[in-house]
Amino acid sequence: MSLNIYQNDVELKSGAIALLEYLRTTDVKTAIATANDETLYRPCVERLDIGKYFDFIADVSVVKEGKHSAKIYQYLADKMGALPENTLVVE
């Protein structure tokens, strides 16, 4: 059931594409941190054609802790070459 929802129903928030396009033009690195397995998020990213806006995508299996932990965010900040104090998380 979840796969069907991600493949067919999940939509972007209003203004998301405009923000992502703006960030792309300003060379701000972006990433997705998700608690979902790749089999769920990948079809959604592809259907919405948003993969081109992100430098990295990681799910919590990479750090073996949920999003309640800072590890996934630290992992992606490291991948982007960013210091945590210079990183913004948008949930």
Side-chain angles (χ1 to χ4, degrees):
M1 190 163 68
S2 293
L3 180 58
N4 182 53
I5 291 170
Y6 277 93
Q7 285 178 330
N8 300 300
D9 299 329
V10 171
E11 295 297 331
L12 295 172
K13 300 281 188 193
S14 176
I17 292 295
L19 175 60
L20 291 169
E21 287 177 350
Y22 171 76
L23 294 172
R24 229 3 64 182
T25 65
T26 59
D27 294 325
V28 172
K29 294 206 181 293
T30 57
I32 295 174
T34 181
N36 287 317
D37 183 82
E38 186 171 2
T39 59
L40 288 178
Y41 73 75
R42 185 63 60 189
C44 186
V45 168
E46 290 173 0
R47 177 178 56 82
L48 295 171
D49 194 29
I50 58 171
K52 62 189 172 199
Y53 296 111
F54 297 97
D55 300 289
F56 302 99
I57 300 175
D59 61 69
V60 293
S61 69
V62 173
V63 295
K64 310 294 189 244
E65 289 193 33
K67 285 176 59 179
H68 66 279
S69 166
K71 285 187 178 182
I72 188 74
Y73 306 107
Q74 181 64 54
Y75 171 82
L76 286 167
D78 290 346
K79 296 283 283 181
M80 292 186 291
L83 295 172
E85 58 268 24
N86 295 332
T87 302
L88 173 68
V89 175
V90 178
E91 189 67 39

